[in-house]
Amino acid sequence: MEILVRAYDHPDATKLVAEVQQEYVARYGGPDGTPTGPAEFAPPRGLFLVGYLDGAPVACGGWRVHDGGEPGFRDGDAELKRMYVVPEARGRGLARRMLAELERTARGAGRRRLVLETGTMQPEAIALYESAGYAEVPPFGFYACAPGSRYFGRELPS
């Protein structure tokens, strides 16, 4: 998989973000309501990546900066958002490769910890994050009080 930096509003990113939102509708009955916008995923305050197989966009994910001035966040945090692999490309380790690249780029931007929120209706995501060394952290963000939400974090080695 070739992984490229793309603006959050790039057509390939927009297509994949729309697909992941439909995944949330199928699993939870509605899209992720967390406010997000292109500026949050623009360097140096964030980054959005799209993975390609044979020129077709098949995976995405991004991170955005948060620091200790926000409840639930510490200085040096980056929040992982919109991790997704299209159904026909699943089971090939692409999510793990995307996660590794998101960690690498966040670390390269000076971030010390990656945090994320997911839900109990995404057991494969929970399994990925736990197997990659993520541990539960206190709730934060838009869904901090939502039942069924799970919060994970991992220190990024320097």
Side-chain angles (χ1 to χ4, degrees):
M1 176 171 67
E2 179 183 26
I3 300 175
L4 300 175
V5 174
R6 293 289 191 228
Y8 189 71
D9 55 0
H10 181 279
D12 293 339
T14 301
K15 173 187 180 297
L16 292 169
V17 167
E19 288 182 28
V20 71
Q21 289 286 29
Q22 282 307 118
E23 186 90 15
Y24 299 145
V25 169
R27 292 183 189 223
Y28 298 102
D32 179 358
T34 305
T36 57
E40 295 175 285
F41 297 97
R45 304 285 302 162
L47 194 71
F48 201 79
L49 303 174
V50 174
Y52 295 86
L53 285 178
D54 299 321
V58 296
C60 67
W63 57 264
R64 59 187 183 173
V65 168
H66 289 281
D67 282 309
E70 299 174 72
F73 294 101
R74 301 188 319 213
D75 286 342
D77 279 356
E79 180 188 14
L80 183 69
K81 292 299 291 177
R82 304 293 183 254
M83 273 281 294
Y84 178 69
V85 175
V86 298
E88 57 272 17
R90 292 178 185 163
R92 300 183 198 179
L94 303 181
R96 190 168 303 281
R97 288 176 59 194
M98 180 62 72
L99 181 59
E101 184 64 7
L102 289 163
E103 291 174 344
R104 186 191 71 75
T105 57
R107 185 175 49 252
R111 298 287 97 193
R112 295 188 297 270
R113 183 174 76 147
L114 204 55
V115 297
L116 64 100
E117 179 272 332
T118 190
T120 55
M121 301 299 289
Q122 294 171 266
E124 67 284 358
I126 292 169
L128 169 69
Y129 298 128
E130 289 179 336
S131 72
Y134 286 74
E136 291 199 45
V137 298
F140 61 84
F142 189 79
Y143 289 104
C145 297
S149 285
R150 301 276 307 272
Y151 304 86
F152 294 91
R154 179 172 181 254
E155 299 295 325
L156 298 173
S158 52

